[in-house]
Amino acid sequence: MTQAALRIIAGKEFSDHLRSRRFHLLFAILAVVAAVGMITGAVQYSKDLSDYNAVQMIAESDDDPTLAGNLAGMKPSILSAYSQMGMLMAGIGVVLGIAMGFDLVTREKESKSLKSLLAYPVFRDEVINGKALGGVGAIALAMGVVLVVSVAIMALFGIVPNLDELVRILVFGVTSFLLVFTFFALALLMSTVSKDSGSALLYSLIVMIVLSSFVPIFAYTPVYSAVFGDVPTPPGMSTYSYQQSSSAYTVTSVAVSYKSNDAVDPEALVEYERASREYMNQKRTITDIVTLVSPTGNYQTILGAASQPAGDNTPGLGNLLGALACNIIALLAMPAAFFGLAWVRFMREDIR
């Protein structure tokens, strides 16, 4: 592999992405979503901060230590706007990644240009690596512009984040980049194993839906209870619950409990506590594994933790990254695995 050939191919792919109408459309939607999310978040932040300052003045004027204590660590943060923006980006960014990668190889096959390209003195690994680097560059540029736009909007509202918030905003940008790159690498893999672009797009969407929706549904909805049973009920009490609403990662249910007047058997209470601990430990383990398998699950877990207000009770960034180490490693490993499989498949492909 030569550096010159790799730079030429990567530069051409980068330029093709930037001139693509598909990229323009999705990037425009991404930028609009980011701008609207930040404007909404900035307006809400200004209102929350005004209310917070008003209550703080009351606490100081009344010399009320209880009210002052309740306010500790509850100062509003602009990071909540990034949390809302990230929820929208989780959907659009995934589509952007797939749209950029699903026909990178199949398009060359269909136009017969891949065979012509390999007739030149270039190695196969230069072709696949150059396509990946060109896509990574375009994704990094898009995420960088979105991040700059968000900071510019904050500046227009007179909001100046502190150092901790700036680092957490950077974590948001890097995590968003990794999410888009994960689905770009998935689409690139499907492009190498498929015969045409239509099949590559279909396979990419199927895997995306499985990883983003079907897998979380198993752990976060009543499907879990159907497989592993309901949470143990305390002795002497009957609980009836029904589902009120649900999404891929949350389930809202209403529970109604009836307690009998009979005396509770101490041994039954001990058995209930043991069974309850085992049930919760098992569910926590399964939900953690499911989250690690899902790129969007890892993204939302990291984003949710990083966008917590940087108050007095918030863990430091070092402790935060340590607690999220498994999610970060999973978010790094998945695109590496997809690209590794695409690389091996492309190197072994019979191109005639």
Side-chain angles (χ1 to χ4, degrees):
M1 183 174 70
T2 61
Q3 297 295 326
L6 181 63
R7 280 199 300 272
I8 292 172
I9 295 174
K12 178 183 179 303
E13 291 297 328
F14 180 74
S15 176
D16 287 347
H17 283 302
L18 295 191
R19 289 184 298 179
S20 166
R21 185 176 301 176
R22 184 193 312 158
F23 179 81
H24 294 165
L25 178 62
L26 289 170
F27 175 68
I29 295 174
L30 196 65
V32 169
V33 166
V36 172
M38 281 307 301
I39 292 173
T40 305
V43 171
Q44 185 64 40
Y45 167 76
S46 299
K47 179 180 180 303
D48 293 342
L49 186 62
S50 176
D51 294 342
Y52 173 84
N53 290 333
V55 176
Q56 192 176 40
M57 289 180 63
I58 294 173
E60 290 176 355
S61 62
D62 294 347
D63 195 18
D64 187 345
T66 303
L67 183 56
N70 292 335
L71 289 175
M74 296 182 64
K75 186 177 181 179
S77 171
I78 190 60
L79 294 172
S80 58
Y82 283 91
S83 178
Q84 297 175 12
M85 193 169 72
M87 298 295 287
L88 298 172
M89 192 168 290
I92 300 173
V94 166
V95 176
L96 176 64
I98 291 177
M100 291 177 62
F102 80 92
D103 63 348
L104 280 184
V105 176
T106 52
R107 186 179 59 211
E108 303 273 9
K109 294 177 187 175
E110 291 165 345
S111 64
K112 308 296 183 185
S113 60
L114 184 58
K115 187 176 179 180
S116 302
L117 175 62
L118 293 176
Y120 288 92
V122 294
F123 296 102
R124 286 196 180 196
D125 59 339
E126 293 170 342
V127 175
I128 189 72
N129 291 343
K131 287 181 176 297
L133 287 175
V136 167
I139 294 171
L141 177 64
M143 291 296 106
V145 170
V146 168
L147 213 57
V148 169
V149 168
S150 68
V151 175
I153 291 175
M154 278 195 295
L156 287 176
F157 281 85
I159 301 170
V160 181
N162 58 33
L163 180 61
D164 185 84
E165 288 173 332
L166 277 176
V167 174
R168 289 168 186 264
I169 291 171
L170 186 60
V171 170
F172 163 80
V174 173
T175 308
S176 299
F177 165 77
L178 287 176
L179 177 71
V180 180
F181 178 52
T182 297
F183 286 94
F184 170 79
L186 166 66
L188 179 60
L189 170 61
M190 294 304 160
S191 186
T192 59
V193 301
S194 303
K195 293 182 179 179
D196 54 73
S197 300
S199 300
L201 177 60
L202 178 62
Y203 297 152
S204 299
L205 292 176
I206 290 174
V207 177
M208 181 269 286
I209 292 172
V210 170
L211 293 178
S212 300
S213 299
F214 284 177
V215 172
I217 282 175
F218 176 78
Y220 295 93
T221 68
V223 175
Y224 181 89
S225 298
V227 176
F228 295 101
D230 294 323
V231 62
T233 302
M237 183 173 291
S238 300
T239 301
Y240 303 91
S241 63
Y242 61 91
Q243 181 178 329
Q244 193 173 52
S245 63
S246 66
S247 64
Y249 290 90
T250 59
V251 173
T252 302
S253 61
V254 175
V256 181
S257 300
Y258 297 93
K259 184 177 182 180
S260 69
N261 295 323
D262 299 335
V264 177
D265 183 2
E267 293 185 359
L269 186 59
V270 172
E271 175 60 20
Y272 158 74
E273 292 174 349
R274 183 197 63 77
S276 183
R277 279 196 302 273
E278 289 183 355
Y279 184 90
M280 297 310 296
N281 289 336
Q282 173 186 277
K283 185 168 185 177
R284 188 181 304 111
T285 302
I286 291 177
T287 52
D288 287 347
I289 293 173
V290 166
T291 301
L292 291 177
V293 172
S294 171
T296 49
N298 288 309
Y299 174 72
Q300 292 183 353
T301 300
I302 296 172
L303 181 62
S307 61
Q308 291 296 315
D312 299 336
N313 300 325
T314 305
L317 192 63
N319 294 333
L320 181 69
L321 295 179
L324 297 172
C326 292
N327 300 100
I328 295 171
I329 292 172
L331 204 54
L332 288 169
M334 200 159 286
F338 287 145
F339 177 69
L341 292 173
W343 192 90
V344 172
R345 179 69 178 82
F346 187 78
M347 296 296 286
R348 291 174 174 270
E349 189 166 8
D350 182 15
I351 300 172
R352 297 178 181 176

